[in-house]
Amino acid sequence: SNIQKVNSLQEFNIKKLDKKKIKELTGSKKINAVVGGPPCQGFSTVGTGNPKDSRNSLFLQFVRIVKITEPEFVVIENVTGLLAKKNEKTLKAIFNQFEKLGYNLNVQVMSSQHYGVPEIRRRTIIIGSRINSMPIFPRPTHDKVTTRGYKPPVTVNEAFNDLQTKSGKIYNHDLDKAEVSNQLDLKRLKSIPEGRGIRYEKDEKELLKARSLKLGINWKEIPEGRFRQTKYFRLDGKKPSPTIMTHRHSYYHPREHRYLTQREAAKLQSFPNNFIFEGPISAQWRQIGNAVPPLLGKAIGKALNKMISQALTEAKDHVDLTITKKARLSDRARIEDIRGKAFHYKLGLGPTA
């Protein structure tokens, strides 16, 4: 099966993924989109600096696969920092590379909680199309309750209330591994209310009143007088979660005195309950924390479908305008035949039978 073939690629070097291998894995099916999150930091050096910069390797492999498969769409995911002023050359280089291949590109920062994900995760998404003059992005479906036309954001509590599969099983829910083994940490955690944590000295004074629970640090010596990341941070069950990281020590359960399980973290990322993570727990957390939320990916996929429909409509309008000037309106059969072939060519699928 194709699933077995994909599993066999776990240790496969992408440099060996040639046209023959792609045809074997896909059954020679037409590829409609190439989607990925290749590192982009050094890509701006291509053509103007060192094209062998190691940071460029995976991105250039991404471009190579696009050249081989010639999809209608390319979708690239990256951190929001890609749109920072200091990365302007990198972004221009990315656009130039795909424009040379015939793609029209657009870029947008998308926030996952706006698409039904019970987590706030902001990512830069680049969409390229060679069948549309301008790519489109999905419209948000979830926002604040007071915003008209939107559903309220999905909360942590709502996510945690639904962890079972249809058969009643809960996978990757290792509660014993989510225990806080350090007794001092556990005592401190029991003093932290839902949605709170220790980031500033005022938090420590308010929440860790007993001298035995103090962190034992000089707040004046800490840069900016705060922790870079809040310690003992309990999630707020009434809100979407902050961005899920690649390890379990970032956040604690809203009410229970423990870390999150992999299943709970995956649920916040919007993975379905029947999606099973393999490998050691540390590897499972990396898989979860590094993933693009599936519901965000689904929203982008719907946008690609919409662009296909848009391209078909544009092709139909163009063909209608062209052939009605040259053919009798009664010649319906020939018109429909010409129109069908035109649609096929417009989507880059080649001639029809």
Side-chain angles (χ1 to χ4, degrees):
S1 70
N2 280 347
I3 292 178
Q4 292 173 329
K5 292 176 181 177
V6 170
N7 286 339
S8 69
L9 284 177
Q10 288 180 353
E11 301 298 329
F12 193 84
N13 191 324
I14 193 172
K15 292 180 181 179
K16 298 179 182 178
L17 189 60
D18 55 18
K19 191 172 185 177
K20 180 180 178 181
K21 190 67 176 179
I22 291 173
K23 283 188 174 182
E24 175 190 337
L25 291 168
T26 62
S28 297
K29 292 181 180 179
K30 174 73 177 73
I31 304 299
N32 299 106
V34 173
V35 183
C40 302
Q41 289 88 341
F43 188 65
S44 61
T45 63
V46 176
T48 58
N50 177 16
K52 295 183 179 180
D53 187 324
S54 61
R55 296 175 299 172
N56 299 327
S57 177
L58 287 175
F59 194 93
L60 294 178
Q61 290 299 324
F62 184 96
V63 173
R64 183 180 67 83
I65 298 301
V66 170
K67 288 180 179 179
I68 291 174
T69 57
E70 297 183 327
E72 286 82 27
F73 308 106
V74 293
V75 180
I76 301 169
E77 176 264 347
N78 210 282
V79 295
T80 56
L82 182 62
L83 296 185
K85 182 68 176 178
K86 64 179 181 179
N87 292 320
E88 185 177 351
K89 289 184 178 179
T90 296
L91 192 61
K92 285 183 177 179
I94 293 170
F95 271 57
N96 289 338
Q97 183 69 31
F98 286 103
E99 285 170 355
K100 290 178 183 177
L101 298 179
Y103 291 88
N104 297 310
L105 274 72
N106 200 359
V107 61
Q108 182 173 307
V109 173
M110 299 180 67
S111 294
S112 60
Q113 78 276 15
H114 291 154
Y115 303 91
V117 180
E119 171 204 25
I120 300 171
R121 178 180 289 253
R122 300 176 75 247
R123 286 294 183 268
T124 294
I125 303 295
I126 299 173
I127 298 179
S129 172
R130 62 183 180 85
I131 63 172
N132 305 91
S133 57
M134 177 59 71
I136 60 175
F137 285 83
R139 296 185 63 181
T141 54
H142 295 67
D143 208 333
K144 296 179 180 179
V145 180
T146 54
T147 307
R148 290 186 177 182
Y150 294 102
K151 299 176 183 178
V154 181
T155 67
V156 171
N157 284 343
E158 290 174 309
F160 288 179
N161 284 337
D162 176 27
L163 299 178
Q164 296 183 354
T165 64
K166 291 182 178 179
S167 62
K169 293 183 178 180
I170 303 180
Y171 294 102
N172 305 111
H173 193 53
D174 301 286
L175 287 169
D176 57 329
K177 301 295 184 182
E179 293 180 356
V180 179
S181 57
N182 184 288
Q183 291 304 302
L184 180 56
D185 285 340
L186 183 58
K187 289 180 180 178
R188 287 168 174 162
L189 180 62
K190 289 180 179 180
S191 300
I192 306 296
E194 181 177 339
R196 295 291 302 277
I198 309 296
R199 193 176 192 191
Y200 299 93
E201 183 178 13
K202 63 181 179 63
D203 299 323
E204 183 188 39
K205 289 180 177 179
E206 177 190 354
L207 303 175
L208 304 180
K209 297 184 183 300
R211 180 175 295 182
S212 61
L213 299 182
K214 299 297 181 184
L215 300 178
I217 61 171
N218 187 338
W219 286 94
K220 294 180 181 179
E221 293 181 354
I222 298 178
E224 300 181 11
R226 63 180 175 86
F227 291 126
R228 185 176 180 182
Q229 184 174 339
T230 304
K231 295 183 180 295
Y232 304 103
F233 182 29
R234 283 191 186 274
L235 297 182
D236 188 335
K238 299 179 291 297
K239 298 178 180 179
S241 164
T243 301
I244 293 299
M245 306 296 188
T246 56
H247 55 84
R248 62 181 176 179
H249 302 109
S250 299
Y251 311 119
Y252 295 82
H253 192 278
R255 293 165 299 280
E256 298 177 20
H257 307 314
R258 61 174 176 81
Y259 299 110
L260 304 181
T261 65
Q262 311 95 282
R263 175 52 50 196
E264 288 167 335
K267 188 67 178 187
L268 295 176
Q269 274 271 56
S270 75
F271 278 95
N273 295 337
N274 60 356
F275 192 101
I276 301 174
F277 297 88
E278 304 287 355
I281 288 182
S282 59
Q284 294 177 32
W285 271 94
R286 284 196 300 274
Q287 293 169 50
I288 296 166
N290 284 328
V292 172
L295 286 184
L296 178 59
K298 183 178 181 179
I300 294 171
K302 286 184 176 180
L304 301 190
N305 276 333
K306 187 174 181 179
M307 282 191 277
I308 289 177
S309 297
Q310 186 182 76
L312 285 169
T313 299
E314 291 174 356
K316 176 181 179 297
D317 291 344
H318 174 74
V319 173
D320 283 346
L321 181 63
T322 302
I323 65 180
T324 51
K325 290 180 179 179
K326 300 180 180 180
R328 293 176 302 169
L329 293 178
S330 59
D331 194 5
R332 296 295 184 186
R334 189 168 68 86
I335 290 175
E336 289 302 321
D337 181 60
I338 295 173
R339 178 184 292 153
K341 286 185 171 61
F343 292 169
H344 216 64
Y345 275 110
K346 177 69 176 177
L347 293 181
L349 304 179
T352 57

